[in-house]
Amino acid sequence: MADRDKRGPEPAPEAREAGIPTEPRDRAEGSETEGERRRRRAQFLRELNEAKELRDRVQPRRARAARMRQQMRMRTFRW
């Protein structure tokens, strides 16, 4: 019984059938290949970029202020 508590609850049968990863994240990370990690990272960065573009369209004033702050940061940056 103590071993079961350490492992956590059993995954639902639907999760196994649907192909959803059922093992804890730290164990899955070790077996992940470099290519898989890069693909996940690329997908994340694409979605992040898309979210930023959407935010810029929805809040133009805030986006303009953010662009101005970024430009000021770049002007004052020393190489």
Side-chain angles (χ1 to χ4, degrees), residues 25 29 32 35-45:
R25 195 129 174 93
E29 294 289 329
E32 184 178 44
E36 290 171 342
R37 190 187 70 80
R38 286 177 187 248
R39 272 191 295 281
R40 272 193 319 111
R41 183 174 186 273
Q43 178 67 28
F44 170 76
L45 292 175

Side-chain angles (χ1 to χ4, degrees), residues 56-57 59-75:
D56 290 351
R57 282 196 308 267
Q59 301 174 336
R61 185 180 299 168
R62 191 172 290 174
R64 181 173 185 268
R67 273 196 313 275
M68 300 301 266
R69 281 193 301 274
Q70 177 65 17
Q71 288 173 357
M72 185 61 73
R73 254 184 263 139
M74 294 307 287
R75 272 188 232 130

Side-chain angles (χ1 to χ4, degrees), residues 2-79:
D3 292 335
R4 182 177 172 83
D5 293 338
K6 289 180 185 174
R7 285 189 313 221
E10 284 292 317
E14 300 86 29
R16 274 185 256 132
E17 292 168 5
I20 299 170
T22 56
E23 57 187 27
R25 195 129 174 93
D26 56 343
R27 269 192 255 160
E29 294 289 329
S31 62
E32 184 178 44
T33 66
E34 185 70 19
E36 290 171 342
R37 190 187 70 80
R38 286 177 187 248
R39 272 191 295 281
R40 272 193 319 111
R41 183 174 186 273
Q43 178 67 28
F44 170 76
L45 292 175
R46 277 193 298 273
E47 290 173 358
L48 180 64
N49 225 7
E50 185 180 327
K52 285 180 181 179
E53 289 171 5
L54 176 63
R55 186 182 61 205
D56 290 351
R57 282 196 308 267
V58 173
Q59 301 174 336
R61 185 180 299 168
R62 191 172 290 174
R64 181 173 185 268
R67 273 196 313 275
M68 300 301 266
R69 281 193 301 274
Q70 177 65 17
Q71 288 173 357
M72 185 61 73
R73 254 184 263 139
M74 294 307 287
R75 272 188 232 130
T76 59
F77 182 77
R78 294 183 183 251
W79 294 96

